[in-house]
Amino acid sequence: MRERLLMNRNWLFYFGEPDYKRPKPTSSDQTYHGSRAENARGPARRDFTDSDWKTVTLPHDFVNENGPSPDCLPGEKHGYPLDRGSAWYRRYFRLEETDRGKRITLLFDGVATRCEVYVNSMFFKLNRTAGIGFEVDITDAARFGTDYNLVSVHVDCHDYEAWYYEGGGIYRNVWLIKTDPLAVDLWGTFVRSKQLDGNQWQLGVETKVRNDYYSDKTAKVISRIVDPSGETVAELVCDTENFFAQAVTTVYQNVLLSDPALWSPEICNLYTLYTEIVLDGETVDDYQTTFGIRELRFDPDHGMFLNGKKTVIYGFANHQIQVGVGNAMSDSMREFQLRTIHDIGGNGFRTAHSPHGPATYDYCDRYGLMVMDENRIFQPSDTVKDEVRRLIKRDRNHPSVIMWSLYNEEDTVTHETGKRIYRRLACTARELDPTRPISGATSYGMFSEGADEDYDLLGINHQTMNFPALHHAKPDKPLYSSEMVIPLGKARSFLGSDIVPGQDAHSTELEYAIGGYHFTAWAFGSDRGRIFACDGTPRTIAHGFRAYLKQDEPFVKICPGWNHPEKEGQKVELNIANNGDYVELFVNGTSRGTVKTDLYTITPFTTLYEPGEIQAIAYKDGKRWAEDTARTSGEPVAIKLVMENPSLKDDNDDVAIISAYLVDDGGNWCDTETGYPVHWDCNCAGEYVSSVSIRNDGYMGWHGPDTTFFEGKVQAFFRSLAVDQDLVITAETEGLPKAELVIRRDKVGAIPAVTEVPNNFILDWRISKLYPYTMDDEQVMKERQIELWEHIDTQGSPDILYGALPGRTGPGLYPAGTSMNYAYYSCTMIPDMGNKGGKKLALFFEGLDGIANIVVTDGTKTAQGHHPANSPWPGHYRPEMVVDCDQFKPGDQVEIWVFIHDAVRITGIGWPVRWAFMTQQEIDEVAEKERREWALHTYKG
């Protein structure tokens, strides 16, 4: 059955490019081995010294961690360099003997940006974009038991693919997935829905099944559909399907549903598809898909209809960033950002300007946010077409996704080149999803003739004031604003022209307009932002949108409050966000007058500032509709802690978002106080991740647990660990009582995860000088001149014989036939590899050629081994060697000596050496294998 294990913890990380031993040109065998299957070099190899690397937990953004550079201008990169450098990640993991025969894959949800994936010293995958995830099938290179596996990931961020902050590193989850060789392919299901007559809906279920067996298989595909209440409403069985070997086959199933529960932004009904693969009477795979049933129709004259109802999108966009952690967002951070959009009445979300993490779409499904799902790179290459395919396959079951966007602001779209690229990518998308419209975010040449002739929808960035002209010029194209930048508020200038207040909102109210997406909801730098600040603090415009988009819900808000230091007796400008007919203001109980509500300007109001209390009362239809009160804060006397998450799981992955506020003795937020240092801490149920605050200097790098209040607020992130107790978070600043927040978490337990295993390779080998004629092993160990020995790699035989004997390299230093000898040395600690399970501790040489004596000692106990001869055909056999070391235990510091006698051209340690658990039978089988190999070399027939 399918296993899906999270692989986020205990990655080893190195920023930059570590030094390593290169193959020596004087050793033909090292060059030869370096061209074979396990040809990875340096940190991509299994036996590479990484003991001094730091340990990190994913998601991880090393660009954010490094912080901005003082040499870089703020700009859209917010002080981060275009060249963000490169880095390496390494992770050891174990596969059990019971995993043999399974298909083993790694699923990377996202890596920024260009990355190479190596497994067990073999190159497996090149991925070039940060937005969409990818799968790596490692089945053929998988190792089992204490023959551990090593995945190495090289991330190259020297170049950029985005104009905005894009981070770097493994910035989303990594999963280890085990399945039967006959299983549902990655993102391999697709449920289409179509309304027939009346309340009858047809569901088409497509299931892509991959057969990684080496023979054809006949199996059943069972698809069970469960409605939002948990009731099974259909079960489809295909029991005669033939699946060809090493191929992917698509199974098609159909069913009619009567009066299903439809998905809409108002009621987010979600169904579940459970898929089973039954082979020879046994269920070998189970796969789960969440989907929704809904119908979209776009009309160039009347806009969009969802399930037959006229629906206007008023959405928002965000980059995939949380200031404080960069791109390394937790699912809870995604939820927080999307919830704030939902709470102010937004019903749409644009993934600006690339695919977002998988959880984004889950939350959009649940919050009713209609998604404009966007591709990053606009090119016709096979690489980009594959990225588009992955985007479509991953997201096509989400009912919230209502369109695909192939680009953002590409200037080639007005030329024949761009038209051809669009057509090619659109065809690629339609192969996998013919049900959704395809579009792009156009900023250049929107009036150009024929530029958008192939578009299903015409998306326009910024210029909503041109909607009437566009509708006139292109009357057959449904029209929406892919990027709105003129929010509610007072009149302003745009591109040198005066714009009416709330221009974008006015434009979305046109009969033919589909709506649009405001750019952006959250600030993507550490500043106040126009709508939400980088810590989620709502600004005046957010409250204005709340009033405008939820006009049936009573609301009034005094913006920005009633703290205006040093302005006593002076006029202050307020905005009274409200959705009444008019609003009256009182300062310290005295009316300051009324003003008619203007939803588009957020009702400006100017009055004299007088510390104390201000009250706003909104009226509708002559009746009291809503009210709000704000007070002038006094001196801070306490810290108030608030968890922004609706709930928190104790699963080793969820992240608590904790806001800290300075408050006075009345509980009022002291939002003008800056400079109070604060120290964060938590108990063993959590671990500190990072923090964020609104800063005037634009700094958005990684913060330690000691941070500073800005404008009375600071926010911190804590990972919630699988510990059976409450999470307790504290914040402390000098002169104020320590604040404590006790969080009772959802008891779900740790997400099934890949267990950490130690590095069990012998890494730091040294090699002696040559000992011509004879070598006394005991004397060499007594002399211990190892500080003079050269550090050496173990990929291929050493070059120690180069130039020693007469031959192609010259006359040689010694006569032909001279016996040549040398030795290896390493000092290492035996790792804790867990329960031996009745096996023995062994030192395993994956390749040791030549006549050799092996000594393993801790100064008291000694284990010895002997390799009896050179290979019959030197250099064309990989003789393995095992030394029984069961007298030692984890934590023992041991010395390993390997003495090579009568060396020939290719001898010595040419492959990795590691600790292993082996049965006596397995040890004997290694020796027997070598004896059998050598015997066959002498067989004459």
Side-chain angles (χ1 to χ4, degrees):
M1 295 292 284
R2 180 178 295 261
E3 284 187 85
R4 179 181 167 97
L5 305 174
L6 190 61
M7 199 171 176
N8 279 2
R9 300 186 71 82
N10 300 302
W11 285 77
L12 297 172
F13 172 76
Y14 187 96
F15 178 69
E17 302 297 325
D19 291 332
Y20 63 91
K21 298 287 184 183
R22 267 66 171 179
K24 290 193 173 184
T26 49
S27 170
S28 62
D29 193 49
Q30 289 183 9
T31 305
Y32 178 79
H33 278 190
S35 66
R36 317 323 296 164
E38 297 179 37
N39 66 345
R41 303 192 191 7
R45 289 190 53 198
R46 290 188 297 149
D47 54 339
F48 178 81
T49 303
D50 53 18
S51 56
D52 59 342
W53 289 22
K54 69 182 294 186
T55 301
V56 299
T57 297
L58 308 182
H60 180 251
D61 180 349
F62 66 78
V63 178
N64 174 80
E65 190 172 89
N66 289 343
S69 168
D71 300 328
C72 297
L73 297 174
E76 300 291 359
K77 294 284 187 178
H78 297 277
Y80 287 82
L82 289 178
D83 182 347
R84 288 112 58 221
S86 59
W88 284 90
Y89 295 82
R90 286 167 59 89
R91 177 64 151 80
Y92 300 90
F93 62 99
R94 173 176 177 151
L95 295 171
E96 301 299 334
E97 295 294 338
T98 53
D99 292 326
R100 290 185 187 273
K102 296 179 181 179
R103 181 173 186 256
I104 312 294
T105 64
L106 297 171
L107 176 59
F108 291 81
D109 282 344
V111 182
T113 45
R114 185 184 189 276
C115 79
E116 297 170 333
V117 179
Y118 300 82
V119 177
N120 295 336
S121 301
M122 297 185 191
F123 173 73
F124 269 83
K125 184 73 175 182
L126 170 66
N127 190 68
R128 299 182 64 89
T129 189
I132 193 68
F134 58 91
E135 182 182 52
V136 184
D137 186 338
I138 67 170
T139 305
D140 294 337
R143 296 166 176 262
F144 305 91
T146 49
D147 191 356
Y148 293 156
N149 297 271
L150 184 279
V151 55
S152 299
V153 180
H154 183 238
V155 183
D156 183 347
C157 297
H158 290 297
D159 205 350
Y160 66 95
E161 66 172 358
W163 53 263
Y164 45 85
Y165 176 85
E166 55 188 324
I170 308 178
Y171 76 103
R172 292 183 189 153
N173 295 333
V174 177
W175 303 88
L176 176 68
I177 301 175
K178 309 174 189 178
T179 68
D180 188 85
L182 187 71
V184 177
D185 196 17
L186 175 67
W187 308 318
T189 56
F190 182 30
V191 183
R192 308 188 196 191
S193 58
K194 181 180 181 180
Q195 186 174 17
L196 304 178
D197 295 335
N199 292 325
Q200 289 287 313
W201 288 71
Q202 183 182 57
L203 265 58
V205 179
E206 297 178 15
T207 307
K208 292 188 179 297
V209 180
R210 60 179 307 125
N211 179 9
D212 281 290
Y213 284 104
Y214 295 102
S215 60
D216 296 351
K217 298 292 180 182
T218 300
K220 291 183 180 180
V221 177
I222 301 175
S223 300
R224 184 167 59 92
I225 297 173
V226 176
D227 71 11
S229 68
E231 180 181 349
T232 298
V233 294
E235 185 167 300
L236 313 174
V237 180
C238 177
D239 58 1
T240 59
E241 192 71 34
N242 187 54
F243 299 99
F244 296 105
Q246 299 294 302
V248 176
T249 303
T250 304
V251 175
Y252 298 93
Q253 298 168 308
N254 293 282
V255 66
L256 292 178
L257 293 185
S258 297
D259 197 22
L262 303 184
W263 183 92
S264 71
E266 297 78 26
I267 305 176
C268 304
N269 289 310
L270 295 172
Y271 283 73
T272 305
L273 169 67
Y274 294 93
T275 306
E276 290 183 52
I277 310 296
V278 181
L279 176 64
D280 298 330
E282 178 185 357
T283 299
V284 295
D285 190 31
D286 57 342
Y287 192 84
Q288 184 173 324
T289 307
T290 301
F291 70 97
I293 301 173
R294 51 108 178 103
E295 185 177 62
L296 290 168
R297 181 169 64 87
F298 297 88
D299 186 290
D301 292 320
H302 302 288
M304 183 179 77
F305 294 82
L306 177 60
N307 302 329
K309 176 185 175 183
K310 167 79 172 180
T311 302
V312 178
I313 302 168
Y314 209 109
F316 297 83
N318 272 347
H319 291 305
Q320 51 177 345
I321 181 173
Q322 168 62 66
V323 178
V325 298
N327 286 165
M329 297 175 68
S330 67
D331 289 353
S332 61
M333 296 169 189
R334 299 180 190 279
E335 187 277 336
F336 185 24
Q337 292 189 4
L338 295 167
R339 175 162 39 92
T340 60
I341 292 172
H342 170 268
D343 287 351
I344 64 171
N347 66 355
F349 183 70
R350 179 187 178 191
T351 63
H353 297 290
S354 70
H356 283 214
T360 291
Y361 305 87
D362 294 334
Y363 291 123
C364 287
D365 287 345
R366 298 173 198 171
Y367 285 128
L369 301 178
M370 294 175 284
V371 178
M372 177 185 178
D373 204 359
E374 193 152 74
N375 170 57
R376 170 82 286 269
I377 301 297
F378 186 65
Q379 293 171 349
S381 67
D382 289 342
T383 297
V384 172
K385 286 189 292 183
D386 179 62
E387 291 165 4
V388 170
R389 289 189 187 99
R390 281 183 270 151
L391 164 65
I392 306 297
K393 284 185 68 177
R394 190 195 66 173
D395 297 342
R396 61 186 175 173
N397 285 303
H398 290 280
S400 58
V401 176
I402 64 167
M403 70 177 81
W404 307 113
S405 172
L406 296 181
Y407 66 85
N408 175 66
E409 297 186 357
E410 289 290 338
D411 47 13
T412 61
V413 296
T414 60
H415 301 281
E416 195 62 31
T417 297
K419 296 176 190 179
R420 289 195 296 263
I421 294 172
Y422 182 90
R423 290 167 185 159
R424 187 171 298 278
L425 294 183
C427 285
T428 299
R430 288 192 180 101
E431 288 174 9
L432 294 166
D433 178 21
T435 69
R436 290 177 176 86
I438 300 175
S439 182
T442 299
S443 182
Y444 303 102
M446 70 182 89
F447 288 107
S448 298
E449 183 177 348
D452 48 49
E453 59 191 18
D454 297 297
Y455 295 20
D456 297 322
L457 306 176
L458 179 58
I460 299 301
N461 280 6
H462 312 151
Q463 303 178 53
T464 58
M465 71 290 294
N466 287 319
F467 268 23
L470 281 165
H471 182 57
H472 172 75
K474 303 172 187 291
D476 61 332
K477 291 296 177 183
L479 178 65
Y480 72 103
S481 178
S482 42
E483 190 166 298
M484 300 185 291
V485 295
I486 307 170
L488 305 173
K490 61 186 179 182
R492 66 191 66 209
S493 176
F494 180 79
L495 298 178
S497 301
D498 291 334
I499 301 299
V500 300
Q503 171 67 63
D504 290 337
H506 285 294
S507 296
T508 61
E509 295 170 358
L510 296 169
E511 171 65 19
Y512 52 80
I514 296 168
Y517 298 88
H518 202 93
F519 185 84
T520 61
W522 279 49
F524 46 91
S526 58
D527 50 33
R528 292 164 182 77
R530 290 194 298 172
I531 304 175
F532 290 97
C534 60
D535 61 356
T537 301
R539 314 308 294 182
T540 295
I541 294 175
H543 297 301
F545 275 125
R546 166 69 176 77
Y548 172 73
L549 296 172
K550 292 187 172 184
Q551 295 184 33
D552 294 333
E553 297 182 13
F555 182 76
V556 62
K557 183 70 176 179
I558 302 164
C559 307
W562 201 234
N563 279 327
H564 302 277
E566 301 179 1
K567 289 193 175 182
E568 290 83 353
Q570 300 179 35
K571 289 183 178 180
V572 294
E573 184 176 313
L574 305 175
N575 290 89
I576 312 303
N578 77 99
N579 48 25
D581 296 327
Y582 66 93
V583 64
E584 184 175 13
L585 267 74
F586 297 84
V587 174
N588 295 325
T590 301
S591 176
R592 291 287 179 89
T594 62
V595 61
K596 185 179 178 180
T597 296
D598 186 339
L599 289 168
Y600 300 99
T601 63
I602 321 181
T603 312
F605 191 96
T606 301
T607 190
L608 295 177
Y609 177 58
E610 177 186 320
E613 178 181 280
I614 185 171
Q615 183 183 34
I617 302 175
Y619 296 85
K620 193 167 188 176
D621 297 328
K623 299 178 181 178
R624 200 179 187 110
W625 173 250
E627 63 180 78
D628 181 44
T629 300
R631 297 176 179 84
T632 306
S633 61
E635 292 295 319
V637 299
I639 300 172
K640 179 183 178 181
L641 299 180
V642 176
M643 185 175 79
E644 304 289 359
N645 315 49
S647 61
L648 187 69
K649 299 185 289 291
D650 64 343
D651 63 358
N652 282 338
D653 186 62
D654 203 1
V655 173
I657 305 168
I658 309 299
S659 294
Y661 298 87
L662 290 173
V663 296
D664 64 13
D665 56 6
N668 300 301
W669 177 18
C670 304
D671 61 4
T672 62
E673 295 289 346
T674 291
Y676 283 76
V678 59
H679 176 76
W680 293 95
D681 204 356
C682 67
N683 65 346
C684 64
E687 59 186 17
Y688 177 85
V689 176
S690 184
S691 65
V692 61
S693 59
I694 301 170
R695 294 177 59 129
N696 295 325
D697 58 6
Y699 178 73
M700 52 185 276
W702 182 87
H703 302 279
D706 293 293
T707 55
T708 304
F709 278 97
F710 280 79
E711 297 184 352
K713 184 180 180 182
V714 67
Q715 196 172 79
F717 311 118
F718 290 84
R719 186 169 290 105
S720 177
L721 302 181
V723 175
D724 189 20
Q725 62 186 86
D726 295 336
L727 172 60
V728 180
I729 293 171
T730 59
E732 189 173 11
T733 189
E734 185 176 353
L736 299 179
K738 178 191 288 189
E740 180 178 280
L741 181 64
V742 178
I743 303 171
R744 289 172 173 80
R745 304 173 295 163
D746 295 340
K747 303 296 182 182
V748 300
I751 296 173
V754 179
T755 304
E756 178 190 13
V757 294
N759 184 336
N760 62 345
F761 291 99
I762 313 302
L763 300 173
D764 187 17
W765 287 101
R766 301 182 184 209
I767 192 170
S768 72
K769 63 180 182 180
L770 268 177
Y771 290 92
Y773 307 111
T774 185
M775 177 175 64
D776 185 328
D777 300 356
E778 292 290 336
Q779 187 63 29
V780 171
M781 288 191 289
K782 286 181 181 179
E783 290 176 353
R784 295 184 60 80
Q785 296 183 11
I786 53 177
E787 68 275 4
L788 302 178
W789 293 12
E790 178 188 2
H791 291 270
I792 195 169
D793 197 4
T794 57
Q795 181 172 286
S797 299
D799 67 341
I800 195 166
L801 294 184
Y802 181 81
L805 296 172
R808 287 180 296 175
T809 59
L813 298 175
Y814 302 96
T818 302
S819 174
M820 292 296 179
N821 313 278
Y822 61 93
Y824 293 93
Y825 171 85
S826 184
C827 183
T828 187
M829 179 179 290
I830 298 174
D832 185 356
M833 298 186 295
N835 191 327
K836 292 195 293 185
K839 296 185 176 184
K840 291 184 174 184
L841 176 67
L843 184 62
F844 190 93
F845 291 81
E846 294 186 7
L848 176 62
D849 212 341
I851 302 169
N853 297 322
I854 301 101
V855 178
V856 183
T857 180
D858 64 358
T860 302
K861 303 183 293 295
T862 299
Q864 294 184 328
H866 177 66
H867 195 259
N870 294 313
S871 296
W873 191 2
H876 290 268
Y877 176 54
R878 182 172 172 172
E880 297 173 339
M881 175 71 186
V882 179
V883 179
D884 185 338
C885 293
D886 206 41
Q887 60 266 58
F888 301 108
K889 64 181 185 303
D892 285 350
Q893 191 81 20
V894 297
E895 294 181 326
I896 304 172
W897 300 82
V898 179
F899 300 97
I900 306 295
H901 291 268
D902 294 327
V904 293
R905 184 177 70 90
I906 296 175
T907 53
I909 303 172
W911 289 269
V913 184
R914 55 184 168 82
W915 298 103
F917 290 153
M918 304 178 70
T919 64
Q920 186 60 54
Q921 180 181 351
E922 290 169 334
I923 294 173
D924 294 340
E925 285 175 352
V926 171
E928 177 57 31
K929 175 184 175 183
E930 183 165 318
R931 283 193 294 269
R932 183 173 62 252
E933 177 80 17
W934 288 8
L936 288 171
H937 272 85
T938 62
Y939 178 70
K940 301 302 182 183

